[in-house]
Amino acid sequence: MVERAPVIAAWGAGVDSTAMIIELVERGEPIDMVLFADTGSEKTDTYAFIPVFRHWMDRHDVASEIVRYEPRNFKHWPPYDSLGTNMLTNATLPSKAFGRGSCSLKWKVAPQDKWTAQWAPAIRCWGEGGRVVKLIGYDCSGADQRRYAHAEGYADPRYDYRYPLRELGWTRADCVARIERAGLPVPPKSSCFFCPAMRPHEVDALSKDELRTIVLMEARAKPRLRTIEGLWRKPVVGRGGAIPRPGNITAYVRALGLLPPSEVDRIVADAPLALVAFQAAQARKPVEQRMSMARWLDAFHRGQSAG
């Protein structure tokens, strides 16, 4: 029999999972490892918060690791290493834009599970017939209630899932207050910077490079879109208290002047063609000699800034 199953906290670097870790640590409850799965496309403010909270965890003797999905088979594509460059490579949008759920399985869950499969406490636990406890930061708000309802009853032979915030009856506001009481900055909502679930005010807070990437992503995918307009799928007219917005984020960026209209026009007209030409040129080279999508994207941003 296992004396105590090892405990892993799935940390998204957002409000809920951060507050969950703080509260359990302050209560003296065991957390043996905190895992953050980096898609390579998190928000700039999220990347700024990660070292701040990892320092807090270090001071409280909480071990943490950053894990990543590592694409390997690029066929005739330039190598890519993030969810964003994956989307640009395939001229598509995240699955949530098409109403097919989220990207979390491939880029979030799988790399955490792969890391855990090589973790000695987990191997020992499973060898003795036990299950690793995985802490999930779903709160009692409406959105997390739906996610919890979807996950409830799911049986996994390797894990027992625990939802501490729901045990405590905490909402997102409670989580914000808990982080503030710990003397830490409140992180932004955890998501990729081009997540279709973002609200307009979240787009307002993005950096210029993030906005440019969104414009490029939607322009690159547009020829293949049949039933949706872009990352936001379809327009919201604003009935019932909903915030009106277009079906693509590019139109919102243009309307609010988050980027100069001339720059938006230039990206839409030129950048997808330049990207296609780059991919075609790289396809003629052996894989080991191909330039990565990340390097091309860096050059794209430098060119836009200079222009």
Side-chain angles (χ1 to χ4, degrees):
M1 243 347 245
V2 179
E3 290 186 7
R4 180 179 70 76
V7 179
I8 289 179
W11 180 45
V15 169
D16 287 353
S17 57
T18 298
M20 174 187 73
I21 293 167
I22 292 170
E23 181 65 15
L24 294 184
V25 168
E26 295 292 352
R27 287 170 177 250
E29 295 196 31
I31 299 178
D32 300 301
M33 179 59 64
V34 172
L35 294 181
F36 173 74
D38 181 10
T39 65
S41 298
E42 309 296 322
K43 297 172 182 173
T44 299
D45 289 346
T46 297
Y47 284 121
F49 179 72
I50 288 170
V52 172
F53 191 60
R54 291 192 79 192
H55 179 65
W56 184 94
M57 289 191 286
D58 287 344
R59 289 192 289 108
H60 290 80
D61 298 319
V62 179
S64 66
E65 294 285 347
I66 296 177
V67 298
R68 296 176 177 86
Y69 169 69
E70 298 179 1
R72 297 187 182 278
N73 184 8
F74 299 109
K75 299 180 180 177
H76 53 281
W77 301 118
Y80 59 83
D81 60 0
S82 71
L83 179 55
T85 49
N86 186 181
M87 296 298 99
L88 291 173
T89 295
N90 295 329
T92 190
L93 302 176
S95 58
K96 189 180 285 291
F98 300 96
R100 294 198 294 263
S102 73
C103 312
S104 61
L105 185 61
K106 176 179 177 180
W107 289 90
K108 288 285 189 179
V109 178
Q112 291 186 45
D113 286 350
K114 182 179 179 180
W115 186 94
T116 305
Q118 302 174 47
W119 186 44
I123 294 170
R124 183 168 56 252
C125 175
W126 292 330
E128 295 173 353
R131 296 183 182 182
V132 173
V133 176
K134 183 175 284 191
L135 307 175
I136 307 294
Y138 289 174
D139 64 30
C140 293
S141 64
D144 276 3
Q145 174 65 36
R146 289 188 291 274
R147 291 201 293 172
Y148 173 75
H150 179 74
E152 190 177 20
Y154 172 68
D156 190 321
R158 302 164 300 168
Y159 298 101
D160 281 327
Y161 295 93
R162 183 184 167 199
Y163 304 88
L165 298 178
R166 299 190 62 78
E167 296 169 10
L168 294 166
W170 282 14
T171 63
R172 184 175 180 85
D174 295 316
C175 293
V176 169
R178 187 64 187 89
I179 295 170
E180 291 175 337
R181 288 201 305 276
L184 290 166
V186 177
K189 181 179 178 182
S190 175
S191 77
C192 291
F193 65 84
F194 47 80
C195 180
M198 283 192 304
R199 297 180 179 181
H201 74 271
E202 294 176 76
V203 176
D204 297 346
L206 296 178
S207 70
K208 300 297 184 185
D209 280 357
E210 289 167 336
L211 294 170
R212 290 169 182 137
T213 302
I214 287 172
V215 174
L216 170 58
M217 187 178 293
E218 289 188 325
R220 176 83 170 98
K222 186 175 181 180
R224 301 177 63 179
L225 302 181
R226 297 292 181 269
T227 60
I228 64 172
E229 294 183 12
L231 287 164
W232 277 340
R233 305 193 68 194
K234 296 181 180 179
V236 173
V237 296
R239 297 192 185 98
I243 299 174
R245 56 168 176 74
N248 62 80
I249 297 180
T250 298
Y252 179 83
V253 169
R254 187 194 302 273
L256 268 72
L258 300 179
L259 292 175
S262 60
E263 182 174 3
V264 174
D265 291 341
R266 186 170 66 247
I267 293 172
V268 171
D270 300 338
L273 297 176
L275 179 52
V276 169
F278 164 73
Q279 289 181 282
Q282 299 307 305
R284 294 190 287 270
K285 301 178 181 180
V287 172
E288 63 275 9
Q289 295 179 16
R290 294 175 193 167
M291 182 190 298
S292 69
M293 282 291 299
R295 285 184 60 190
W296 183 90
L297 195 58
D298 285 343
F300 162 76
H301 288 309
R302 288 196 302 272
Q304 296 304 314
S305 297

